[in-house]
Amino acid sequence: MRLTLLGTGSADGWPNPWCECASCAWARAHEPRGQTAVLVDDRLLIDFGPDVPRAASRFGVSLAGLRHVLVGHAHPDHLGPEALMWRSWSTVADRPLDVVAPPAALEVCRAFLRRWEGTEPGGDGSPLRLLPAVAGDHLELAGPAGPGYLVRPVAARHGDDSIGPAVLYDVTAPDGARLLYGCDTAVPLPPATLAALAGRAFDVVLLEENNGDRPGFGEHLDLPDFAELVAELRALGAVVPSTRVLAVHLSHRNPPGGELTSRLARVGAEAPPDGSVLEIPPGGGRRPAGGTAPGDTGVSGTEAGGTAAPRRVLITGGTRSGKSAQAEDWLRAEPEVVYVATGWAPDGSDPEWAARVAAHRERRPARWHTLETQELEPLLRSPGPALLVDSVSLWVAARLDDPDFGTAVDRLVAAWRAARRRVVAVTDEVGSGAVAPTAAGRRFADRLGQVNARLAAESDEVWLAVAGLATRLRPA
């Protein structure tokens, strides 16, 4: 299966042509993206907004060989029926073309062509074949000779019947490669959709990620939603270790440049630019013996492109730097996470501490399991789901007056070095503030600084959080 990404942006593109925000300024200078559409093997096109024909011309791609068009819903960035009229002015006007779309989108095509061409699409003599895409149905789109594409529409969570009902597409190519096109949708996905995707072990998954760090715009995914949906698909066996996960339908609600690349890589996803051509080998996302059963994730952790995710990650930062949120983002796409809280549980005596704990709990995905303990060594040394330790600072504080502190640190560092599972730990950066006015405060800073340095020396990656942003310290 060969994919040509004719567009990877949102309805307004990225940048929005009228916008002067920092994200748009970066995209305008470095990596503009048009409306999302993907061409498969030069024969099947998924989504057909008004940007798409001109994008094909810009990238030197001919649409003359196109035989099938899939449309997810009738929003105008997904369906530009005028392109069907432009095709009728070309040398391939008489060649057959399937248009597969939900009923409301097909009616948009009919109304446009009746108005502007005076023709009845799909009628006698028409090269167009209009096929309804209904969740739960299977469509076989014939090839020129031999097998064609098997298309399974599944229900999206986007809009109402006036634009669809909107669907996502599960496509099997003639060579057996499997693709999931998840654009547009919000979460949670309908139960019937999750059931239909279970065990599919896709070779490539394209998921919309419109809302970035600014949730609440329409029925779309933001960065946390995107990561949690990837985790759910992993748990179902729809995404397996070799699946390529691509973020599409990207807008200026996302952070610019390398920041988005880094955050997507943490969940095993990537965002190739418009015009990218990707070769997806058939069966690359499946295991030999009949695929992957739901719940068999093959995790823990691959990054974009199939590289191994770092096993030991240390995130340091000052108070309110965003370090805990950064750590949570690292593991949000894991199907299962044990959140290790090393602090004391609120007992009502400190309202401010209780509010902090409540805020942390509210941010965590519901599927995460919380464990309140100071005993980190056995957790690190035993296999199991990913660990998020928050925080090393509180672990040190609890042992500040321990006469065997050095021995405890030695054991912790040895367990960190030998970690049997993926682990992300949060700690406080104590080297940037004023010297503490008390002996206890100075002793805490000294000891935490020593522990941080030793853990950092044994970490695959070390990050510094400042003002809600993260900078990688190791590897440089």
Side-chain angles (χ1 to χ4, degrees), residues 111-327:
F112 182 92
L113 294 174
R114 287 173 188 144
R115 168 69 177 84
W116 293 103
E117 287 206 316
T119 61
E120 184 61 40
D124 291 342
S126 171
L128 301 180
R129 184 170 68 141
L130 305 187
L131 303 173
V134 178
D137 285 357
H138 290 187
L139 297 92
E140 294 187 20
L141 305 179
Y149 294 88
L150 178 60
V151 177
R152 300 175 174 88
V154 295
R157 192 181 189 89
H158 190 75
D160 57 20
D161 289 358
S162 67
I163 63 161
V167 296
L168 315 177
Y169 286 105
D170 171 347
V171 178
T172 302
D175 64 2
R178 295 177 184 171
L179 173 150
L180 173 63
Y181 185 78
C183 184
D184 293 341
T185 191
V187 289
L189 291 181
T193 296
L194 295 174
L197 300 180
R200 290 292 292 152
F202 292 101
D203 299 297
V204 62
V205 171
L206 297 92
L207 283 183
E208 73 124 287
E209 198 283 284
N210 189 87
N211 284 354
D213 288 320
R214 295 157 60 191
F217 180 81
E219 290 180 293
H220 292 287
L221 303 179
D222 56 27
L223 277 164
D225 290 339
F226 179 93
E228 291 182 27
L229 182 52
V230 171
E232 190 164 25
L233 293 174
R234 282 184 176 140
L236 288 170
V239 169
V240 295
S242 55
T243 304
R244 289 190 75 169
V245 179
L246 312 181
V248 295
H249 209 276
L250 298 163
S251 81
H252 67 160
R253 304 173 80 86
N254 279 284
E259 185 182 351
L260 178 61
T261 299
S262 173
R263 291 174 66 179
L264 289 173
R266 296 174 197 175
V267 302
E270 55 189 308
D274 288 12
S276 296
V277 178
L278 310 177
E279 297 291 341
I280 307 297
R286 293 190 293 284
R287 297 180 182 177
T292 302
D296 178 14
T297 66
V299 168
S300 179
T302 55
E303 288 195 340
T307 60
R311 191 164 79 250
R312 295 153 300 209
V313 177
L314 182 67
I315 301 178
T316 183
T319 302
R320 298 298 190 189
S321 62
K323 57 188 182 296
S324 292
Q326 292 285 343

Side-chain angles (χ1 to χ4, degrees), residues 2-17:
R2 184 176 68 253
L3 305 185
T4 303
L5 303 182
L6 297 179
T8 58
S10 57
D12 52 341
W14 186 16
N16 178 306

Side-chain angles (χ1 to χ4, degrees), residues 99-117:
V99 179
V100 179
L106 293 180
E107 186 53 39
V108 170
C109 294
R110 291 189 182 98
F112 182 92
L113 294 174
R114 287 173 188 144
R115 168 69 177 84
W116 293 103
E117 287 206 316

Side-chain angles (χ1 to χ4, degrees), residues 40 47 51 76 105 107 134 222 224 227 231 243 260 263 265 297 309 324 335 350 369-370 384 424 437 454-455:
V40 181
D47 275 346
D51 278 4
E107 186 53 39
V134 178
D222 56 27
T243 304
L260 178 61
R263 291 174 66 179
T297 66
S324 292
D350 188 340
H369 172 65
T370 299
V424 177
R454 291 189 62 183
L455 290 176

Side-chain angles (χ1 to χ4, degrees), residues 380-439:
L380 292 169
R381 290 187 178 277
S382 61
L387 296 177
L388 196 163
V389 179
D390 196 353
S391 68
V392 174
S393 312
L394 294 172
W395 184 90
V396 169
R399 288 163 174 76
L400 197 57
D401 297 318
D402 185 347
D404 293 325
F405 179 79
T407 301
V409 173
D410 289 343
R411 290 199 304 265
L412 175 65
V413 172
W416 178 264
R417 182 189 305 119
R420 299 286 306 282
R421 57 172 100 190
R422 193 176 187 196
V423 56
V424 177
V426 177
T427 191
D428 283 273
E429 181 52 50
V430 294
S432 301
V435 176
T438 66

